[in-house]
Structures are given as structure tokens and as C-alpha cells.
């Protein structure tokens, strides 16, 4: 936005200081003049210097008052300019840091020293904003690189299969078509997951009243064949837990949690427990599963995109695309909730989702 040139903040402060000092000095001289002339006789005595009168005071005091006023004006301008420059020096550093950040350098920090005041608070807030921006940009760049790699893999496999079918007509076409279908399905799943993750981060959805207990039952019914195939006991307990949000996104959140709990479980005879409940102004969904003990340093990385938790037990046919818990985290944040991950002492994971209850 282009603006017309104007006075700088330093000049405005200097003029303000000088104007205030000028008015204060003029008022002081006016008061002195009024009270002084009030008690001086208005006659011709004192013309020879014997006693003062109003005529002598007016002709001798007025030039001195004018000089004093002029001095106060100049002193106010010079002093105000110096004081304003000293007071606005922190603002200059903040402006330079903002320009540096505008050029793409987010690693610069002001780190202003000194005692706490308004400029230090602004500086600390700006440093905090830059830190969050740098972290967010780095996360987005890492996400874009991982997404490009993940999308490139099925495309490269598809091209290799097509080249093989074209160069060697004797190959089993049915097997190649089946492999192409599998690779294409994985690419579609990855694309849909990326779109869902983007939608959850934008928060562009219609909110309605949703019961998490019904979503838990629906997800359990859908994933029951997978649980039976892996000999996992799947239980849904608890009561109603009504929140306000997107039924589609929340169903995907619950489905991802239950599927992860089934896949990342014991090889057989494991358990998955889904519990819902309302606690005051909070609706809670808790998914608990058995499994091997989890390293503590693995938990913070599970919600990052394309982190499949390589230390957890899983089978290749259900490896997923590494966006399950990332989508869950995105959906929870879009619904103003919190996501908690904690390992079970005997092995496995407890995932707790807390969402604001519906009014």
C-alpha cells in the first residue's frame, strides 16, 4: 500500500516536546508578568531609576521574555529530537528485523536486552512470532518434500510396470494389472489423505452436533473384520460424548485411531478398547491397545506426517502412508481440542482426545 510521505515518529515526538515546553514557558511568563505588573504602580515615578513602574518593566522584561521563549523553543526541539531518538532506538531494531524477515531470513532474532518495557515486550513477541514462523515453514518444507517422495514412489513403480509390459509382451498381463491396481490404490489413498490433512488444517467445514460414541461404534463395526483377521479383541465402552464439528472429519479421526490400534498391536491375541464419555465441558475419546513397549523418544514423532513408527509392530499390507496420526492431530486442532499420547506400562499406547462439549 503506497502512502504519501509524512513526518517521522521522531520528528513528531520532537515537535511535541518542543511545543509542550514552549506553551509551558509562555504560561509561566504570562503568570509572572500578570502578578508582577499587578503590584507595580502605573505613574511616572522611577523614570530616573529611583523606583520601577509598569513602563520600565514592560520595556525591559518583554525582550528578555521573548529571548527566553525562543531559547525554550530551540532547546525543546534539540532535546526532544535527542530524547526521541534514544527512546525509539529499540523500534528501529525491530523494524530492521522485520525487513530482514520479509526478505526470507526467519532465523534472525532481536534479543533486545534491558529491563522490561513496552518495546521489550514487542521485541519478545516478535522473536516468538519469528520462531513459530520458522518452525512452521520448516515443517511445511519437510512435509512437501516427504509428500513429493511418497507420491513419486507409486508413480515410478507404475511407470516401471508399464515399461515392463511394453518391452516384454510375454509377461503375465493379469499380474501386472493387479500390481498396477495396488500401486494406484495406494497413490489414491495418499492423495486423499493429503487432501483431508489440508482440509483439517484450514478448518473450513460446517459444524454440527456429533456424538463420538456413535462414531466409535461405526468405526469399530467397519474395522471388525480386520481385528478378527489379526485375532484382536475390539471393545467399545462408555457413554455419549457430544461435541460440535464435522461428522466426516471426526469419523476419519476415530477410524484412524482404531485402525492404528489394531495394526500396531501384538501379532495375535491383542486387545483394543475404545472408551467415550463426557466430563463437564469436555467430551473425551480414549483408544487403548496392547503391544510392545514404546521408546519415550518415539512418542513426539508419531503425530508428524509420514512417521510410521518403525519401532512399532505392523504388517506390510497395512503399513499405511504415514499420515494416520497426523490427520488425527490436524482434526483435533481444527476442533479446538487436545491430543494426548502416553505409553502403557505393559506395552502399547493410550491415545486420548479431548474436545469441547457441544452447548
Amino acid at each position: 500500500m503506497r502512502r504519501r510521505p509524512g513526518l517521522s515518529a521522531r520528528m513528531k515526538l520532537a515537535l511535541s516536546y518542543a511545543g509542550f515546553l514552549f506553551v509551558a514557558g509562555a504560561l509561566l511568563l504570562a503568570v509572572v508578568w500578570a502578578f508582577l505588573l499587578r503590584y507595580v504602580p502605573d505613574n511616572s515615578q522611577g523614570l530616573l531609576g529611583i523606583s520601577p513602574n509598569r513602563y520600565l518593566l514592560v520595556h525591559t522584561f518583554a525582550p528578555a521574555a521573548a529571548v527566553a521563549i525562543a531559547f525554550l523553543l530551540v532547546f525543546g526541539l534539540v532535546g526532544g529530537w535527542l530524547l526521541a531518538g534514544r527512546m525509539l532506538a529499540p523500534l528501529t531494531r525491530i523494524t530492521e528485523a522485520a525487513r530482514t524477515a520479509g526478505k526470507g531470513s526467519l532465523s534472525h532474532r532481536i534479543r533486545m536486552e534491558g529491563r522490561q518495557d513496552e518495546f521489550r515486550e514487542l521485541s519478545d513477541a516478535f522473536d516468538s512470532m519469528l520462531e513459530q514462523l520458522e518452525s512452521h515453514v520448516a515443517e511445511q518444507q519437510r512435509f512437501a518434500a516427504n509428500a513429493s517422495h511418497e507420491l513419486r514412489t507409486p508413480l515410478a513403480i507404475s511407470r516401471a510396470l508399464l515399461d515392463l509390459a511394453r518391452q516384454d509382451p510375454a509377461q503375465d498381463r493379469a499380474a501386472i494389472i493387479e500390481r498396477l491396481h495396488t500401486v494406484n490404490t495406494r497413490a489414491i489413498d495418499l492423495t486423499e489423505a493429503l487432501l483431508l490433512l489440508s482440509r483439517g488444517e484450514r478448518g473450513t467445514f460446517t459444524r454440527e452436533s456429533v456424538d463420538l460414541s456413535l462414531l466409535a461404534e461405526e468405526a469399530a463395526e467397519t474395522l471388525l473384520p480386520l481385528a478378527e483377521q489379526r485375532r484382536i479383541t475390539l471393545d467399545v465402552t462408555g457413554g455419549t460424548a457430544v461435541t460440535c464439528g464435522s461428522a466426516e472429519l471426526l469419523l476419519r479421526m476415530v477410524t484412524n485411531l482404531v485402525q492404528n490400534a489394531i495394526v500396531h498391536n501384538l501379532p495375535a491375541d491383542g486387545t483394543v478398547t475404545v472408551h467415550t464419555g463426557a466430563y463437564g465441558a469436555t467430551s473425551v475419546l480414549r483408544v487403548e491397545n496392547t503391544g510392545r513397549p514404546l521408546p519415550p523418544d518415539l512418542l513426539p514423532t508419531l503425530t508428524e506426517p509420514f512417521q510410521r513408527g518403525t519401532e512399532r509392530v505392523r504388517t506390510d499390507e497395512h503399513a499405511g502412508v504415514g499420515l494416520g496420526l497426523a490427520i488425527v492431530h490436524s482434526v483435533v486442532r481444527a476442533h479446538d481440542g487436545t491430543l494426548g499420547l502416553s505409553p502403557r506400562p505393559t506395552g502399547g499406547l493410550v491415545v486420548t482426545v479431548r474436545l469441547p462439549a457441544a452447548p
Side-chain angles (χ1 to χ4, degrees), residues 39 42 66 85 98 133 161 192 197 212 218 239 262 274 285 298 303 346:
Y39 296 102
D42 187 12
L133 282 176
L161 291 174
E192 291 180 348
L197 181 62
L212 295 179
E218 182 177 353
I262 295 174
V274 184
L285 168 72
L298 181 64
T303 57
T346 57

Side-chain angles (χ1 to χ4, degrees), residues 61-62 71 103 134 147 171 178 183 197 230 290 304 310 324 332:
F61 183 71
F71 173 78
K103 296 178 181 179
E134 185 181 19
Q171 288 287 335
E178 183 64 27
V183 173
L197 181 62
R230 294 176 57 85
T290 54
E304 296 182 5
T310 54
V332 170

Side-chain angles (χ1 to χ4, degrees), residues 131-152:
E131 184 176 355
Q132 294 179 4
L133 282 176
E134 185 181 19
S135 176
H136 182 70
V137 169
E139 180 181 354
Q140 293 298 321
Q141 292 175 346
R142 184 170 61 251
F143 175 80
N146 291 333
S148 300
H149 175 74
E150 293 290 337
L151 286 172
R152 182 176 57 185

Side-chain angles (χ1 to χ4, degrees), residues 52-193:
N53 59 21
R54 292 186 183 182
Y55 177 82
L56 287 177
L57 287 178
V58 168
H59 284 76
T60 57
F61 183 71
V67 172
I69 290 295
F71 173 78
L72 288 177
L73 183 60
V74 175
F75 180 77
L77 284 173
V78 176
W81 178 263
L82 296 177
L83 289 176
R86 184 177 180 83
M87 293 181 61
L88 295 177
L91 191 60
T92 304
R93 292 181 56 183
I94 297 175
T95 303
E96 293 176 354
R99 289 174 179 169
T100 303
K103 296 178 181 179
S105 177
L106 299 178
S107 60
H108 179 73
R109 299 292 183 271
I110 302 175
R111 294 188 177 90
M112 191 174 297
E113 61 280 350
R115 297 185 178 182
Q116 189 73 9
D117 59 11
E118 289 80 358
F119 288 117
R120 272 69 180 180
E121 291 180 0
L122 179 60
S123 170
D124 295 341
F126 191 81
D127 284 345
S128 178
M129 181 192 68
L130 286 180
E131 184 176 355
Q132 294 179 4
L133 282 176
E134 185 181 19
S135 176
H136 182 70
V137 169
E139 180 181 354
Q140 293 298 321
Q141 292 175 346
R142 184 170 61 251
F143 175 80
N146 291 333
S148 300
H149 175 74
E150 293 290 337
L151 286 172
R152 182 176 57 185
T153 300
L155 294 177
I157 296 175
S158 298
R159 184 176 64 179
L161 291 174
L162 291 174
D163 291 341
L164 179 63
R166 183 177 58 183
Q167 296 172 5
D168 189 2
Q171 288 287 335
D172 187 359
R173 293 183 177 274
I176 293 179
I177 292 175
E178 183 64 27
R179 292 183 62 186
L180 279 173
H181 180 269
T182 302
V183 173
N184 198 29
T185 301
R186 177 177 174 81
I188 292 175
D189 292 341
L190 175 59
T191 304
E192 291 180 348

Side-chain angles (χ1 to χ4, degrees), residues 155 193 209 270 273 315:
L155 294 177
S209 181
T273 303
T315 56

Side-chain angles (χ1 to χ4, degrees), residues 210-216 241-243 250 253 276 283-285 355:
V210 181
D211 189 354
L212 295 179
S213 64
L214 298 180
L215 299 183
V242 182
T243 187
L250 291 175
M253 176 194 73
T276 58
S283 296
V284 177
L285 168 72
L355 299 175

